[in-house]
Amino acid sequence: MRFFSRRGMCLFFLFVLSTALFGQEGEPLVITLEEAVRMALDTSLNLQKSRLDLSDAEYSSKRLWSQVFPSLSAGGNINYGTGLFVDPGFEADAANFDYSFSAGISLSLNAGIPYRMKGIRLAYEEALLSYDDACRQLEIQTAKAFYTLIAERENVSHKQDALNLAERQMEKTRISYENGFTGELSLLNSRLAVEVARSDLSDARSSAQQNLASFLDLIGLERQTVHLEGEIEVRPVKVDSEFLIAQYLSRRPDIAEKRLAVESAENTRKQGSIGDRAPSLRLSADWGGGERGGEDGKFSDSVSGSLSLSIPINPWIPGTTENQTLRKAGTGVERARLDLKSTETSAAQEIRTLTMKLESSLEALEINRLRLEIARRNHELSEQGFQNGTVESLSLEDARKSLNEARYSLLQSELSYLTTVLDLAAAVNMDWRELMWYEE
């Protein structure tokens, strides 16, 4: 039995991997919404930088003992020479070899250490909230781009149907013209309708290709042929804005971040008020030893220790730089509370606005559905009348345009409604799929 070489095995596995990821040669890569979101989260450069910041904050929060860890030091020295530090009884060229080393430890204690530890923990919680919010926003952005491309794909299909319809109508008009049942103007108008439909189709395809390129950049894929597996599904969502505000406002990441900012400001004020004004205790101990060169050189060492207490005075004197810093820390707490109140007010107004927009979008959706039904029936009757000679070609062309516009309006209404659902889900920090099936 002949075995593959190492290089052959590598090429084989690369082929299998590429086939699994991109399908057979010439086949488009099929992407679902869930896969697109996963790719976006995995490849986002901003999220990768946020993960690094979050990792650093987490590392510090799990090692709060470092705030009370003593300062350690060690050192050494070696000297070699001739004729140096020689006693009178020795030769002048006697060699001298000196060495010494030392070690020390010091520890500073202050009443503000617990607040400094709490500040590190709060910084990690803020970084975690910020990262989670960035992930949710990227997921919403990806979903919007995904469904926008689905809508554009449907729009291209509608434009293609419109072109096919215009070409069939031009062929019927040509036959009628050759048989003397219609005039030259009708034939020219039908040709113009075909060219307009072809131009609309070209514009729709160009727009879809440009947005697809942006979408591939968003999810971190190279330029390639892809097929988005999914469709726009619209389900009426009935929600009450005040109920959403009462239940979900506090869950918003920005609200949680502002509350942490208030807590952090209060902690900073306490740290300054207690830590900067309280006495500081410093404990230190040092040990050193060495040997001086010469025949009578002997090893000697020494140990020393100290205990010192320092009491700050400036923070207690009004108007000093230290006292002004403490005063600013107090106003920082009030500023953080005002920011929290402002954010809560803006968030509540955003939820109310999106809820009203959702209701309006649903009404517009129903109207456009009815409009499409009427436009489709009007086109059928106009086409029958044109065949019977009771409807002019211009009227038939108007009916065809109305049908295309009604299709496009309905498609845009569905996309607008789904986008509003996504925005509302982001505003209340909910999964948009959960919101689609939400019941109060």
Side-chain angles (χ1 to χ4, degrees):
M1 181 178 180
R2 185 176 180 181
F3 294 92
F4 287 109
S5 64
R6 179 175 297 180
R7 182 182 180 188
M9 290 296 294
C10 291
L11 293 175
F12 174 75
F13 282 120
L14 285 176
F15 171 76
V16 173
L17 180 61
S18 63
T19 302
L21 291 177
F22 304 108
Q24 301 294 332
E25 183 178 359
E27 294 183 359
L29 173 63
V30 179
I31 301 177
T32 63
L33 176 58
E34 289 74 15
E35 293 171 342
V37 170
R38 177 182 54 80
M39 292 178 184
L41 294 177
D42 291 341
T43 60
S44 172
L45 298 180
N46 291 331
L47 283 185
Q48 291 179 24
K49 292 187 292 184
S50 297
R51 291 189 194 105
L52 294 177
D53 297 336
L54 181 61
S55 177
D56 291 340
E58 182 182 12
Y59 187 87
S60 298
S61 67
K62 291 183 177 180
R63 291 162 179 82
L64 297 178
W65 51 264
S66 62
Q67 301 301 311
V68 294
F69 192 78
S71 176
L72 304 176
S73 62
N77 186 38
I78 298 177
N79 293 319
Y80 177 80
T82 59
L84 299 176
F85 303 106
V86 180
D87 292 334
F90 294 98
E91 296 294 334
D93 59 351
N96 291 275
F97 182 78
D98 301 334
Y99 68 91
S100 64
F101 49 85
S102 62
I105 180 173
S106 63
L107 175 64
S108 297
L109 300 176
N110 184 273
I113 292 179
Y115 299 101
R116 190 160 62 241
M117 291 180 174
K118 184 177 181 180
I120 295 175
R121 179 180 58 81
L122 291 175
Y124 167 65
E125 293 180 4
E126 290 179 3
L128 183 60
L129 280 173
S130 178
Y131 177 75
D132 290 341
D133 184 40
C135 290
R136 177 59 59 87
Q137 295 300 326
L138 181 58
E139 180 179 352
I140 295 296
Q141 180 184 358
T142 304
K144 285 183 178 181
F146 183 90
Y147 283 113
T148 298
L149 287 174
I150 294 294
E152 290 192 331
R153 183 180 66 189
E154 294 297 324
N155 185 43
V156 169
S157 178
H158 291 164
K159 297 297 184 183
Q160 183 64 59
D161 292 341
L163 176 60
N164 296 338
L165 180 62
E167 290 176 343
R168 290 196 301 269
Q169 186 59 48
M170 183 185 68
E171 182 64 19
K172 293 179 181 179
T173 304
R174 185 187 62 80
I175 295 175
S176 298
Y177 172 76
E178 292 176 353
N179 293 329
F181 296 111
T182 187
E184 183 181 2
L185 183 59
S186 297
L187 180 60
L188 293 177
N189 285 329
S190 62
R191 289 177 178 175
L192 177 61
V194 170
E195 295 303 321
V196 170
R198 184 175 287 110
S199 176
D200 291 343
L201 175 60
S202 177
D203 293 341
R205 284 176 174 171
S206 298
S207 177
Q209 290 174 357
Q210 292 176 3
N211 290 331
L212 178 60
S214 300
F215 178 75
L216 293 178
D217 291 337
L218 178 63
I219 63 177
L221 282 182
E222 299 293 336
R223 299 292 188 272
Q224 57 186 289
T225 304
V226 299
H227 172 73
L228 304 183
E229 185 176 316
E231 58 183 10
I232 297 179
E233 298 180 0
V234 176
R235 180 181 182 275
V237 179
K238 300 293 184 179
V239 293
D240 179 69
S241 59
E242 300 306 318
F243 179 81
L244 291 178
I245 291 173
Q247 291 293 116
Y248 297 96
L249 184 64
S250 60
R251 303 183 186 180
R252 284 175 56 116
D254 55 346
I255 301 295
E257 287 181 13
K258 294 299 182 182
R259 287 180 177 171
L260 277 178
V262 172
E263 187 177 357
S264 179
E266 291 177 344
N267 183 72
T268 302
R269 179 183 61 80
K270 292 178 181 179
Q271 179 182 345
S273 179
I274 298 177
D276 294 349
R277 289 176 174 174
S280 297
L281 182 65
R282 178 180 176 83
L283 305 173
S284 63
D286 296 283
W287 173 76
E291 182 178 345
R292 186 175 178 179
E295 293 184 359
D296 60 346
K298 295 181 180 181
F299 176 82
S300 63
D301 64 342
S302 63
V303 177
S304 64
S306 66
L307 173 64
S308 62
L309 180 68
S310 63
I311 302 176
I313 301 298
N314 285 8
W316 295 93
I317 301 176
T320 61
T321 303
E322 294 81 357
N323 184 265
Q324 291 181 35
T325 302
L326 296 179
R327 186 176 182 276
K328 290 179 181 178
T331 58
V333 176
E334 186 63 25
R335 187 180 296 107
R337 289 173 178 169
L338 293 176
D339 288 341
L340 172 60
K341 183 63 176 178
S342 176
T343 304
E344 288 177 341
T345 302
S346 300
Q349 183 60 36
E350 180 186 8
I351 293 175
R352 293 188 183 99
T353 301
L354 289 173
T355 303
M356 291 187 293
K357 183 179 179 180
L358 191 64
E359 295 176 356
S360 300
S361 298
L362 184 59
E363 293 176 357
L365 184 61
E366 297 299 330
I367 291 174
N368 283 317
R369 284 174 176 170
L370 179 59
R371 181 178 297 168
L372 176 60
E373 183 179 349
I374 294 174
R376 184 180 290 112
R377 182 57 178 164
N378 180 46
H379 182 266
E380 292 175 356
L381 295 176
S382 297
E383 189 173 14
Q384 293 177 4
F386 180 79
Q387 296 296 330
N388 296 331
T390 58
V391 174
E392 298 181 353
S393 60
L394 290 178
S395 298
L396 178 59
E397 178 60 22
D398 291 339
R400 188 185 63 82
K401 289 181 179 179
S402 298
L403 177 60
N404 294 333
E405 292 174 357
R407 286 176 174 173
Y408 183 76
S409 297
L410 177 59
L411 185 61
Q412 292 301 309
S413 295
E414 292 175 342
L415 179 61
S416 176
Y417 183 81
L418 187 55
T419 300
T420 305
V421 172
L422 291 170
D423 290 335
L424 182 58
V428 297
N429 196 32
M430 288 178 60
D431 186 275
W432 67 273
R433 301 172 187 82
E434 179 183 352
L435 183 60
M436 287 293 293
W437 297 93
Y438 179 78
E439 294 182 2
E440 298 177 2

